[in-house]
């Protein structure tokens, strides 16, 4: 059945809103860092403010927020707020470590408990065999642990500018590359005409 122009416009608008909610705060963080002369405190203020705005706009437009953007935006507010309160930007730098580790624990813990969080999130878009769901879940869990370890190495050994670029767009590029590697597998079991974006920290 041919999609009407109204439906196409609505879907495009929803896609832009999701991208805005997911990445606008990180863009603001990146810009503020370099515009301010590489001042992490100023960049953290920008991140916190932009995260709050993105969450409000997402709720106002979509009347809801998907769990992953909500968790990521809320974590930015929490870790960014703590960094500002305690005047310690290390609290912001460990956010990717903590969140990616928690994502990995959630995925692996779900498998142990015979519950698959990734399947709950993506089952509307993909109809995968149970063995494939399990393999995909383990792959993502290991990838999140890799990102957590990599973040620790980068922020502890590199200058702030390097970590900021690693944080964005570095982590996004790594995540999309990893997800792209799974595209042939997922496309075999696609139930909709447009797959959802990959999980991101």
């Amino acid at each position: 059945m041919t999609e009407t122009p109204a439906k196409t416009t609505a879907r495009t608008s929803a896609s832009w809103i999701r991208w805005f909610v997911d990445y606008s705060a990180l863009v603001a963080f990146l810009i503020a860092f370099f515009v301010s002369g590489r001042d992490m405190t100023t960049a953290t203020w920008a991140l916190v403010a932009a995260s709050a705005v993105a969450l409000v706009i997402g709720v106002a437009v979509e009347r809801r927020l998907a769990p992953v953007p909500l968790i990521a935006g809320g974590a930015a507010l929490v870790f960014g707020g703590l960094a500002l309160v305690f005047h310690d930007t290390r609290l912001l730098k460990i956010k990717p470590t903590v969140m990616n580790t928690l994502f990995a624990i959630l995925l692996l813990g779900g498998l142990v408990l015979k519950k698959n969080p990734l399947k709950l999130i993506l089952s509307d878009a993909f109809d995968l065999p149970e063995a494939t769901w399990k393999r995909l879940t383990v792959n993502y869990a290991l990838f999140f642990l890799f990102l957590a370890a990599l973040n620790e190495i980068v922020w502890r050994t590199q200058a702030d500018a390097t970590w900021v670029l690693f944080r964005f767009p570095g982590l996004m590029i790594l995540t999309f590359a990893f997800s792209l590697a799974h595209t042939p597998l997922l496309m075999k079991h696609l139930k909709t005409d447009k797959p959802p974006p990959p999980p991101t920290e």
Side-chain angles (χ1 to χ4, degrees), residues 44-45 47-48 74-87 91-92:
T44 302
W45 275 110
L47 175 69
V48 170
L77 291 175
V78 171
F79 284 90
L82 289 173
L84 293 172
V85 169
F86 293 103
H87 306 286
L91 295 170
L92 179 63

Side-chain angles (χ1 to χ4, degrees), residues 8-199:
T8 301
T9 301
R11 190 176 69 177
T12 301
S13 176
S15 177
W16 274 106
I17 289 298
R18 282 191 287 271
W19 277 91
F20 179 83
V21 172
D22 286 347
Y23 298 111
S24 60
L26 292 173
V27 172
F29 176 70
L30 178 69
I31 293 173
F33 177 78
F34 287 103
V35 169
S36 66
R38 304 188 177 190
D39 182 64
M40 280 292 294
T41 299
T42 300
T44 302
W45 275 110
L47 175 69
V48 170
S51 295
V53 171
L55 289 174
V56 169
I57 291 177
V59 171
V61 174
E62 293 196 316
R63 306 299 180 188
R64 69 177 187 87
L65 277 177
V68 173
L70 179 60
I71 292 171
L77 291 175
V78 171
F79 284 90
L82 289 173
L84 293 172
V85 169
F86 293 103
H87 306 286
D88 189 349
T89 56
R90 291 176 300 178
L91 295 170
L92 179 63
K93 292 178 180 179
I94 66 171
K95 173 184 173 285
T97 301
V98 173
M99 296 307 297
N100 280 302
T101 300
L102 287 177
F103 286 154
I105 291 173
L106 178 65
L107 292 177
L108 295 176
L111 290 180
V112 172
L113 298 174
K114 307 300 182 183
K115 303 288 184 181
N116 193 319
L118 201 60
K119 181 179 180 180
L120 292 176
I121 295 172
L122 300 179
S123 60
D124 287 342
F126 303 104
D127 185 18
L128 305 177
E130 284 301 319
T132 305
W133 278 120
K134 183 176 180 180
R135 186 177 75 180
L136 188 66
T137 299
V138 171
N139 286 354
Y140 265 101
L142 294 176
F143 176 66
F144 286 137
L145 290 175
F146 164 75
L147 291 184
L150 185 59
N151 181 66
E152 284 297 296
I153 293 171
V154 173
W155 84 260
R156 291 178 184 275
T157 63
Q158 303 300 312
D160 284 349
T162 301
W163 179 80
V164 169
L165 291 171
F166 165 76
R167 179 66 189 88
F168 185 81
L171 283 177
M172 183 188 75
I173 293 171
L174 288 174
T175 301
F176 272 90
F178 178 80
S179 298
L180 187 63
H182 289 80
T183 298
L185 171 66
L186 295 176
M187 292 303 290
K188 294 179 182 178
H189 305 279
L190 189 64
K191 293 165 61 175
T192 66
D193 60 346
K194 185 176 182 181

